[in-house]
Amino acid sequence: MEFLEIPFYDDDLLKMLFRFGINIFFLTIIVRYLYYSATERKDYLFTYYLISIIVFFLCFTLKKYELDMGMALGLFAIFGIIRYRTDTIEIKEMTYLFVVIGISVINSLANKKLSYAEIIIGNCLVVGAIAVIERFWLLKNEVSKDIIYEKIENILPENYELLKEDLEKRTGITINRIQIGDVDFLRDTARLTIYYYGDKKTNKK
């Protein structure tokens, strides 16, 4: 049955739903049970899920046009360099973004030369690698916190130790490193990001 020369149903519908189920299953393991359990950052859960879903359906739709490998890699590269202009994405969050995009591209663009067993095993290997690195190798969880700092003279490179000592005294946190962001000379304030090792509760957002 067709409407305006477009069919209501074809053989790819069940294939799409099955692949989408595989994608959501492994995406949930990666995002909800590996990423979130390690960081407890709720702000990125929405982003990862929605980007993965959109990338999956976009790639699956474009697959109808018989894209070659070059075009598929081009799409992956475009999605892989996504940046948000309002906020800087930390390297770990950017890596997870790269992972969820990659998983979605693989699950949607795999052709008949790749069996479902190979797709599932590939997803399992990615999940396994993340689990090993996140749970066993990264025994310490580095946490970041943004601070508005008013002693602007301490942000000079030669006053780094004074800045670190002052921040540690105020916050009671042992700081690993400090990143200096925007500086407001009118108000004599600077936006700092401090990095330190902490438990999951200190990383909620």
Side-chain angles (χ1 to χ4, degrees):
M1 182 181 294
E2 295 184 353
F3 178 72
L4 299 177
E5 300 182 354
I6 299 177
F8 280 105
Y9 170 85
D10 65 12
D11 295 336
D12 287 335
L13 177 60
L14 292 178
K15 184 189 300 183
M16 180 191 72
L17 293 176
F18 183 71
R19 287 172 180 253
F20 181 70
I22 293 175
N23 191 66
I24 286 294
F25 175 77
F26 286 101
L27 176 67
T28 299
I29 295 176
I30 292 172
V31 176
R32 179 62 182 85
Y33 294 102
L34 293 177
Y35 170 77
Y36 181 73
S37 63
T39 64
E40 293 196 0
R41 298 191 63 170
K42 297 180 180 179
D43 49 342
Y44 282 102
L45 292 183
F46 176 85
T47 300
Y48 290 153
Y49 270 104
L50 265 294
I51 286 182
S52 178
I53 292 171
I54 292 299
V55 169
F56 176 87
F57 283 115
L58 179 60
C59 290
F60 193 90
T61 302
L62 292 177
K63 186 181 178 183
K64 292 279 190 176
Y65 296 97
E66 299 295 334
L67 299 180
D68 57 16
M69 184 58 66
M71 180 64 74
L73 291 175
L75 283 171
F76 182 76
I78 291 172
F79 291 124
I81 60 175
I82 291 176
R83 298 285 292 181
Y84 294 96
R85 304 302 297 176
T86 58
D87 200 4
T88 301
I89 303 178
E90 298 178 13
I91 186 65
K92 184 172 184 177
E93 277 64 38
M94 199 66 183
T95 302
Y96 270 98
L97 177 61
F98 187 78
V99 169
V100 299
I101 290 173
I103 288 292
S104 301
V105 171
I106 292 171
N107 292 333
S108 60
L109 290 182
N111 55 30
K112 294 181 179 179
K113 295 180 180 179
L114 198 65
S115 66
Y116 284 118
E118 291 173 308
I119 295 175
I120 293 174
I121 290 174
N123 281 266
C124 288
L125 290 175
V126 172
V127 170
I130 295 174
V132 169
I133 295 173
E134 189 75 75
R135 297 295 178 85
F136 298 102
W137 288 3
L138 300 181
L139 298 179
K140 292 183 178 181
N141 180 38
E142 189 175 58
V143 182
S144 66
K145 185 182 296 292
D146 292 331
I147 294 176
I148 301 298
Y149 189 69
E150 80 286 355
K151 293 184 178 181
I152 199 170
E153 66 277 5
N154 284 350
I155 68 173
L156 297 174
E158 58 268 25
N159 293 332
Y160 178 80
E161 291 301 326
L162 290 175
L163 173 63
K164 182 179 178 182
E165 182 180 353
D166 185 40
L167 289 173
E168 288 181 341
K169 183 178 180 181
R170 294 188 185 195
T171 62
I173 295 172
T174 301
I175 298 173
N176 300 331
R177 53 195 172 94
I178 304 169
Q179 180 178 339
I180 300 174
D182 297 334
V183 179
D184 189 340
F185 290 103
L186 294 177
R187 300 178 180 177
D188 284 339
T189 59
R191 181 179 295 274
L192 307 180
T193 303
I194 61 173
Y195 296 86
Y196 58 95
Y197 292 128
D199 56 24
K200 295 176 183 178
K201 293 181 180 180
T202 59
N203 198 31
K204 289 183 179 180
K205 287 192 176 182

